[in-house]
Every structure is written in structure tokens, then in C-alpha cells.
Amino acid sequence: MRLAPLPILAALALVALAAAPSSAAQADNNVEWNGVSHVAWQDRRPVCPVNHETFQVRFQAYRNDLTAARLYVNDGSVTWVAAAKIGTRGPYDLWAAQAPASAANTVAYWLELSDGTDTDYYSLNGMSDGLPADGGFIVNFTTLEHAPVGATRVNGGGTVFKVWAPTRTTAHVRGEFNGWGTGNPMTRVGEHFIAQVAPTSDRQMYKYFFNSLVWNTDPRGRSLDPSQNLNARIEDPFRYAWGDSAWQTPALEDMVVYQLHVGTFAGRNDPYGAAPTPARYVDVAARAAQLVDLGVNTVMLNPVTEFPGDLSAGYNPQTMWAPEWKYGTPDELKQMVDTLHRNGIAVLLDIVWNHLTVNDNFLWNYDGSQTWFDTPQVDTPWGAQADFDKAAVRDWYVHSALMWLEEYHVDGFRMDATDYMNIPPQDAAGWALMQRLNDTMDNRWADKVAIAEQLPDDDWVTRPTSLGGAGFDSQYHDAFVDNLRQEIFDAAAGDPEMWRIRDIINGGGAYLSGKKVLHYLELHDEAWPSSGGQRIVKSIDTTFPYDDLYARGRVKLGQGLVLLAPGVPAFLMGAEWLEDTDFGADAANKLDWSKKTTYAPIFQYFKDLIRLRRTWSAFKADAAWQVFHINESGNVIAFRRSDPSGNPFVVIANFSNANYSGYRLGLPLSGDWEEMLDSQSATYSGNGLTNPGAIATQAVAADGYAQSALLTIPQMGLLVLGPSAVVGVPAPAMPAALRLGPIAPNPAGGPVTIAFALPRGGPVRLTVHDLAGRLVRTLAEGTRGAGSHAERWDGRDRDGRPAGAGVYFVRLEAAGGVASARLIRLR
């Protein structure tokens, strides 16, 4: 017997080391190349410099890796500008240098990076040991070809428009700013047309007009308005004031994923109040407390990019760039993400790259020519696939991902139907596109995650790109869900196969086990009549109200295995209260919030199950496991999970319809054990058969262990046992009162760390004020657990400007009280 096949554990460890951001980055005379990035169209300030103005160049490197950096600027004469750290983002330091204003039409730049004695360079073609030979990044004040594709606000009140139209001879930008007239012709620069228009206003509508004949919207429009003939809107990506500066994406192995469809989440028998159909981003944000109460730490949204009509599951996208307008504005989506972050919840965006909508596909014959799709078209079961062989098309997809990560602060992606990303005749291009997404994220957003909906399982999808794989962090575990559901259904006939459950717990090798797989019993496809599914409670109990003891018992059993077996767990919204309303996008598909009360014991089971998962490190996705007991005749299986110290926990699953008493099971340690959770407890609307009090082991060998115990195992029961010596250890003592401080360093000329402690969990607001009481910066606003915490203030105000020297006050509001402390800032 073994905790997991040793080759698998070793391979998982190697993969983790290869994929993780460089935790060893330090001043060690070695610039970590794989952590350096500068995305020119995102990392300049202003994003699109015009009129010979000065501009800031930002870049990032792993934290504490660089000891110095300089910006090389060449406008006919060479200038070197020192760069400085301006903040942090996840595992990265953010650096910036200011390029001076120049009378020249063209300015070239690149970066010199030093870690002690090691000096390297970053330019257009990436990192190099020697001086770059590629000419550097170019800012051309005449052609403005450095402008991002799309509509970009510029200093002076104007906007630069840039559109890809390689086959057209003329183009105009027409909008509210010019009376929809043709007064703003665009200039061809390579395969693009570019125009600078002034004045314009934020959120004004516009369209492009090609060859004096064809109108169409902006493929990179950050907001589209179907009520106005799909006009695009000018959007300022910096308009929203974020409050999640303290946010850190949870590690993949710690995630508990809740799949949520914005349009049907809120409003039906809803204690939080009414919501329209479809529900909106603001309605999700207003219900963040519900998700906090449940205990999930990650929300996986069904697609929210613009789709035809007002009601959709989102899998018929028109664009990768604009959020669905009926759900709300771009800023309202940002506010939703911000609110969830401030409540400890990550947000994953579902992206559909394998096809575009069949109806209202504005990219089809976009400018009067077929530039976006192959001829003949490459078809999927749901619509035509874009022409992945074209660089501009590939950029459209990858750049959209960078936008969602940068501008919307999302924590990663779930990619739809990856098996249809690499289909002939452009299978190589589709595979390379997935690799590019994951390589880009590993370089620039290493703390974010990418999950593939890969059906059927394919371990090449989660292999590193360095080994030829697609490089996803995790993939749907098709074998897990199919076999778990089948054995649950087979249990009705009394003949489930435990060896199949053993196999799905063990996984399919280094790239199909642990955090490399996402486990679930039911997500949207399984519960969606359009995909041939329905809610599992209706499949188990076919008679309304679909809640007999078998529906309750088997759902709790299945969801318990999802949450406690190795792998990343996920479940569909509503499962937590035995929802029988099938998935869909109509008003009839809205969650029925009254079931939270009707099935309060089921909701409590999910809460306790999730708390168990998140409290004990033995249940992390990658923690060691060992299936040590299989009873095929009795339909019982048991497996061990272990924390880093080797402390064992045991999970028992009884798929049978029989209650067992005096059931002998081997246990890894001698001494007393405790039942930490029993799905059939009366608390969870079960039959009440539990194992109260201490469970004493006996010196009777069983299941490969020297000791065993006699247990009560109820029908359809999911039990968790832990050694009393471990689970009985009291939790760390909580402070008796609210405490603020210490603040270090104090006085300070740079960033400071502000410690605080809470006697109990709840809402927290931590702010910095000047002597007049004016708010300078909000450092934390959301829910925090009891115990010790710390936040970092980088010394900047809420507008990003350095706070001046002087006396400031830090104010903490939490646990029904207020505390304050003085902070002195030096110049």
C-alpha cells in the first residue's frame, strides 16, 4: 500500500516546481528571465502617447529579483533613465521609468535589467544577454502605429482608433463625436487603419465604415450596445476605482469552485430582494455574503462576453472583448469582481475560443471581405471557428485574455471545449494558440489559473508546453464525473463497482491527478436540458419534489467525494440547497432561493464540508492519498488523506442502501479517533446513524494497518474520521479584543506593513487618513476571519500618487469596534 504511486508524486512535484513562479527570486546575480514582461499596449502611461509627450514605461519582474533597472531611450540621441519599483502584483515587482518628451517623430526604447553582477536586456524580441539588435519598442508620433488595436483615450480629450482591415482600401470612424459623418478618414498603416479624433467623450458610440460601403462595429470594442445596432462605446479602462489592492488569488490546490450563471443567480424567492431577468453583475455583488456564508473561495462564471439576444448561457459569443450589456456596464462587472475579491472570493471567467455564434456573427465578412474565417469555413458543432492561422486573429484572442486579467482583475479562465480548439485543418495553429495563452500567463500572471474543459481526458492538455503539452494548470476530469455519476445511479440497482471509484480517486497519472484535475458531480452541462441533462436530484428521484432519502443521500455522498478526494472540487450553483430547477438562461431557470430554507440541513452539510476541506491541509488538491479499503460486495470504499506532517484523515463512502454496524476498518494510527463529519447525521437530514464520542482502535490488523476499529456506516453515508490527537488540538487562541498594530517600519519613507487581529470573523475596513481626517487610501474592505492579519500600504493615495511627508492615522473598523494608530511618513 502507498499514499500515492511514488512516480506520480515525484512527477507532480517536478511539475509544480516547473510551473510555479520563482519563489527563489532574490539578489543572486541571476536575472530570472521567465518573470520579466512588458506588454507595450498595456504597460505605457499614457497607454498611447501622442503629440511628442513624455510617457512612463512599466514592466514587471519576480519580487526581489532585480537590484537595478534602466530604460534606454533613443530619439536620435540616447538617454538612459533609471527605473524604480512602484508596487507589487502577486509574485511580481512592478517597475517604471519615465521616457522624456521628445521633438522626434520616432522614439525607440528597451530595458536594461540587473541582478547584482548579472545584466540582461528586454526588448521587442524578449530577453537577451547582450544589447538588443531588434530596434526596440517603437513609439511613432506620426503614424501612431504603437496605438493598441481598438479605441484608446489619449491626453487632450481625444481618442485613437485602430482597426485591422488588411483587404480594404479606405476606412472611416463614424460616431457621436462627429455626427456619424465621414469627417474622420483613417490612414492605412500596414494591415491596420488608424485615426486620432478629438474631441471625444468617454462612452460615446462609434462604428467603422469600410470602402464607403460597409458599416461594422469594433472587434475590440470594450463595450457593445445591441440596443443601438451593436454600436461600440469608447471605454476608459482606468475609470473604475478598485478596492482590492490587498487581494491575492488563492492557490489552485486551495480552490473550492462554485459555477455561477449571472443571469439566473438572483431574484426568485430571493431574501436579498428582486432582480430582473436576466439578473445582473450588481445582483451577484449584492449577494457576496451568501457565498461567504457557504464558504466557497472561487466563483467560475458562465461566459459573460456579449452574445445575441438577452438570454443565453453564454456559449454563443459574438466577441471576446465586451461584457454582456444586459448584465450591466463594464464598470459594474468590475465592481462585482472587486466586491467578490474583498470578500475573499476569486473569479474565473469562462472563455469560448473554439467557435463564434451562428447568429449575429458580426465578424463574418466583417469589412466586406472574409478576413476572420477560413474559406471554406472550419466548423465545430456550435459554429464556425475563426482563422487561427492568421496572426491578427490569434492576437485578438490572447490580447483579450490579457485585458480581462489586467483591466477586470479576473483570477484566470475556464476554456470551453478545448478538444475542439485543435481540429483540422488548423489543428497545429489551435494547439499553438492554447500554448501561447498558457505561456503568456505563466510569464506575466503566474498566480492566475487556466482550466481546460477537456472532454475526453487528455494528459497532453495539462503537460507543460516545454514538453509539448498545451500547458493548462488543470482540466476537467471526465473519467471522474462519468464514473462517479454511473456508480451513484448503479447504486439504485444495488450493484455499484468500487474499483471504478478507486480508479477515479487515484487519477490518470502525473498530469491527470491532484490539482491537474477539476472534479465535479454536476456542472452546467449535466444539469442543462439543451445538453441532454437535468439536475441530478431529478435523475435519482423522478417524482416531484425530487427530494426523497435517496436523492438527499446520494447527492451528499457524491458531493462529499468531490470535495474530499484529491483534485480541485467544483459544484453548480444551487447544489448547496438541493436545487431541482434545471440549468438554463430563462426566467424559469432562476435559482429558487426558498430552497435554502426548505433544505437548510443540506446547506449546512455543504458549509461544514467546505469548512472541513479548507481548514485541514490534508484535503488540498495535491495532498497525499491512499485508497486502502475496497469492499465490492458491501459497496464500501475508504481512502486516507494526509497533511504535510503525515497526520492521517480517513474518508469512508458507502454506496450501498444498507446500514452497517460493527463494520471493521483498519486505521492508520492507534488510539482514539473522532468522527469529524457524517453525511447521514440528523443535522444534515440523514437517518441519524453516526459514531458519537471517541472511536477506540483495537490491536486487530485490517486493511494493511496494525490496528482497526468497529464503526457504524450508514447507507449512502460519507464519513470523515480524524485522530483525536490531531482534530482535538484546540484552534490557535483568538485575541480577546480588537487589536491594531504593530505598524512597521514607523516612521517610514516607503511601504509599511500594518498588522491587526480580530476576536471574531466578520466585516473589516482598514483605512489611512490624513490629519484632517480625509480618506487617503482604503487598504482592506471585506470579510476576514478571526485571528491575525496584515496589510501592506505602498505609501500611495487612492489615485496612485505618493503620499506626502507628515502624520497619518490608520483606522480599523471590525468586530463592532474601532481602533486607530498613528503613522509618520518621511520624505
Side-chain angles (χ1 to χ4, degrees):
M1 292 184 302
R2 50 214 161 97
L3 293 182
L6 289 178
I8 292 177
L9 286 178
L12 286 173
L14 290 173
V15 170
L17 287 172
S22 177
S23 58
Q26 56 185 305
D28 59 357
N29 301 316
N30 179 38
V31 175
E32 301 279 353
W33 286 19
N34 60 334
V36 178
S37 70
H38 167 69
V39 177
W41 64 270
Q42 284 188 317
D43 288 348
R44 288 187 291 252
R45 296 292 184 275
V47 172
C48 180
V50 295
N51 302 325
H52 305 276
E53 67 185 323
T54 178
F55 59 92
Q56 186 184 74
V57 175
R58 298 183 176 189
F59 62 97
Q60 62 184 43
Y62 284 136
R63 284 199 189 187
N64 305 315
D65 186 43
L66 302 183
T67 54
R70 294 194 300 171
L71 177 69
Y72 166 94
V73 182
N74 187 344
D75 63 353
S77 61
V78 172
T79 302
W80 287 92
V81 182
K85 292 181 188 180
I86 60 171
T88 59
R89 180 168 70 187
Y92 304 99
D93 284 326
L94 299 180
W95 291 72
Q98 194 73 25
S102 173
N105 290 328
T106 301
V107 176
Y109 67 89
W110 39 259
L111 300 162
E112 179 188 81
L113 312 173
S114 297
D115 180 356
T117 60
D118 182 27
T119 296
D120 299 312
Y121 301 88
Y122 187 90
S123 189
L124 193 61
N125 292 334
M127 294 294 299
S128 63
D129 283 308
L131 293 173
D134 56 20
F137 299 96
I138 303 296
V139 172
N140 191 314
F141 292 114
T142 301
T143 65
L144 299 180
E145 58 192 292
H146 60 275
V149 183
T152 306
R153 300 277 289 159
V154 297
N155 287 336
T159 298
V160 173
F161 297 90
K162 183 176 181 180
V163 62
W164 181 60
T167 68
R168 301 298 86 182
T169 56
T170 66
H172 294 75
V173 59
R174 304 173 70 170
E176 291 181 296
F177 41 79
N178 61 12
W180 297 97
T182 57
N184 294 109
M186 306 180 78
T187 301
R188 174 176 285 284
V189 181
E191 292 190 341
H192 296 87
F193 286 93
I194 303 174
Q196 181 178 355
V197 179
T200 59
S201 298
D202 192 25
R203 305 224 77 217
Q204 281 187 317
M205 293 187 291
Y206 68 97
K207 262 199 172 85
Y208 297 122
F209 189 52
F210 301 101
N211 283 19
S212 300
L213 182 66
V214 177
W215 291 79
N216 215 328
T217 196
D218 186 348
R220 294 208 189 195
R222 282 171 167 79
S223 176
L224 302 181
D225 192 337
S227 72
Q228 299 292 327
N229 199 30
L230 211 65
N231 291 333
R233 291 186 181 274
I234 300 168
E235 292 286 348
D236 179 359
F238 306 112
R239 182 177 54 231
Y240 181 78
W242 286 90
D244 66 347
S245 60
W247 170 251
Q248 291 187 357
T249 303
L252 178 60
E253 57 266 33
D254 295 330
M255 287 184 171
V256 176
V257 179
Y258 183 87
Q259 189 180 36
L260 185 152
H261 180 257
V262 171
T264 56
F265 181 63
R268 179 182 175 196
N269 300 321
D270 189 339
Y272 289 91
T277 301
R280 305 157 298 178
Y281 306 123
V282 295
D283 300 313
V284 176
R287 288 154 180 79
Q290 157 70 14
L291 301 173
V292 172
D293 185 31
L294 179 59
V296 296
N297 64 355
T298 304
V299 162
M300 182 169 70
L301 301 177
N302 291 101
V304 297
T305 51
E306 192 66 57
F307 47 73
D310 295 339
L311 305 177
S312 173
Y315 296 97
N316 54 337
Q318 293 174 289
T319 179
M320 298 298 115
W321 285 78
E324 168 58 32
W325 82 291
K326 201 66 175 181
Y327 292 165
T329 66
D331 280 6
E332 287 169 338
L333 175 54
K334 292 174 182 178
Q335 187 263 340
M336 184 197 81
V337 175
D338 197 9
T339 300
L340 292 174
H341 280 177
R342 288 186 282 115
N343 281 276
I345 299 169
V347 179
L348 305 181
L349 188 66
D350 197 338
I351 53 176
V352 184
W353 286 14
N354 63 80
H355 74 281
L356 286 140
T357 181
V358 173
N359 302 316
D360 299 324
N361 183 353
F362 69 84
L363 293 177
W364 191 264
N365 289 318
Y366 171 70
D367 54 11
S369 64
Q370 189 63 296
T371 55
W372 285 84
F373 295 88
D374 290 276
T375 304
Q377 68 201 55
V378 177
D379 275 327
T380 73
W382 314 281
Q385 187 171 94
D387 187 354
F388 293 161
D389 290 315
K390 291 179 179 172
V393 173
R394 297 193 299 271
D395 286 349
W396 186 70
Y397 284 101
V398 175
H399 290 181
S400 72
L402 289 173
M403 178 203 66
W404 293 113
L405 291 163
E406 179 84 27
E407 297 177 18
Y408 287 84
H409 293 201
V410 302
D411 297 283
F413 305 104
R414 175 260 194 200
M415 180 177 280
D416 179 68
T418 50
D419 205 45
Y420 284 89
M421 282 293 294
N422 56 315
I423 56 177
Q426 51 187 18
D427 43 342
W431 189 260
L433 180 58
M434 293 190 290
Q435 291 178 316
R436 179 180 168 190
L437 168 68
N438 290 309
D439 283 342
T440 301
M441 290 180 65
D442 288 345
N443 168 234
R444 186 169 170 85
W445 297 95
D447 54 328
K448 309 304 181 184
V449 303
I451 300 170
E453 189 211 15
Q454 175 59 36
L455 310 171
D457 298 328
D458 182 354
D459 66 0
W460 283 95
V461 168
T462 36
R463 287 178 190 262
T465 59
S466 60
L467 299 180
F472 283 93
D473 298 302
S474 189
Q475 66 175 284
Y476 278 33
H477 196 182
D478 193 27
F480 185 96
V481 63
D482 288 349
N483 283 282
L484 178 58
R485 289 172 66 89
Q486 187 61 54
E487 300 319 307
I488 282 176
F489 295 144
D490 286 352
D495 192 27
E497 296 173 297
M498 294 300 96
W499 67 268
R500 294 186 185 275
I501 301 301
R502 175 202 64 201
D503 287 356
I504 63 174
I505 291 171
N506 283 338
Y511 303 107
L512 278 172
S513 58
K515 68 182 177 185
K516 291 294 181 182
V517 286
L518 185 87
H519 284 164
Y520 59 96
L521 175 67
E522 173 182 73
L523 291 178
H524 76 272
D525 272 324
E526 288 72 27
W528 194 10
S530 293
S531 294
Q534 63 177 7
R535 287 279 188 172
I536 193 169
V537 292
K538 296 170 71 173
S539 298
I540 297 172
D541 177 9
T542 58
T543 304
F544 181 82
Y546 318 111
D547 64 351
D548 68 8
L549 66 94
Y550 299 106
R552 297 194 309 272
R554 290 177 185 145
V555 164
K556 288 185 290 180
L557 171 63
Q559 298 286 12
L561 283 172
V562 166
L563 276 151
L564 299 179
V568 180
F571 61 97
L572 179 63
M573 65 180 194
E576 67 271 27
W577 56 56
L578 218 66
E579 183 64 76
D580 61 82
T581 301
D582 291 330
F583 178 84
D586 298 333
N589 301 114
K590 282 193 169 187
L591 288 186
D592 183 355
W593 285 66
S594 69
K595 292 188 176 73
K596 182 181 178 183
T597 300
T598 303
Y599 300 108
I602 307 298
F603 186 80
Q604 187 62 48
Y605 173 71
F606 271 82
K607 287 180 58 174
D608 291 349
L609 191 59
I610 293 167
R611 184 181 302 112
L612 187 68
R613 161 83 189 205
R614 295 185 59 191
T615 299
W616 298 98
S617 60
F619 298 109
K620 287 176 179 283
D622 270 350
W625 74 92
Q626 172 201 13
V627 179
F628 65 85
H629 177 88
I630 298 177
N631 180 345
E632 285 289 3
S633 61
N635 306 131
V636 176
I637 190 168
F639 58 95
R640 166 181 172 171
R641 302 299 309 273
S642 300
D643 66 19
S645 298
N647 294 314
F649 298 78
V650 169
V651 180
I652 308 162
N654 178 10
F655 279 73
S656 81
N657 299 318
N659 296 307
Y660 298 115
S661 61
Y663 191 103
R664 184 168 294 281
L665 186 76
L667 292 174
L669 291 178
S670 61
D672 288 346
W673 286 65
E674 295 180 19
E675 186 176 79
M676 303 170 69
L677 181 138
D678 186 331
S679 68
Q680 289 288 35
S681 165
T683 302
Y684 307 134
S685 191
N687 61 17
L689 295 178
T690 62
N691 294 274
I695 301 169
T697 60
Q698 301 162 345
V700 178
D703 301 314
Y705 295 120
Q707 59 282 321
S708 59
L710 296 175
L711 302 170
T712 296
I713 303 180
Q715 61 178 180
M716 301 172 288
L718 189 285
L719 283 64
V720 181
L721 308 181
S724 298
V726 176
V727 301
V729 173
M734 293 298 113
L738 187 68
R739 185 176 75 243
L740 176 61
I743 299 173
N746 190 10
V752 297
T753 299
I754 301 165
F756 61 97
L758 309 177
R760 61 182 182 274
V764 167
R765 180 174 169 81
L766 182 69
T767 51
V768 179
H769 302 261
D770 63 17
L771 271 176
R774 293 182 292 259
L775 177 66
V776 175
R777 182 78 173 269
T778 299
L779 301 180
E781 191 170 24
T783 300
R784 298 289 190 276
S788 299
H789 303 269
E791 298 289 350
R792 183 179 182 275
W793 182 35
D794 60 7
R796 294 178 178 272
D797 66 18
R798 53 186 172 177
D799 295 321
R801 298 183 298 256
V807 179
Y808 293 81
F809 288 92
V810 180
R811 176 183 172 88
L812 173 66
E813 301 171 63
V818 177
S820 62
R822 188 174 68 169
L823 166 63
I824 299 174
R825 280 196 56 76
L826 306 173
R827 291 194 182 276

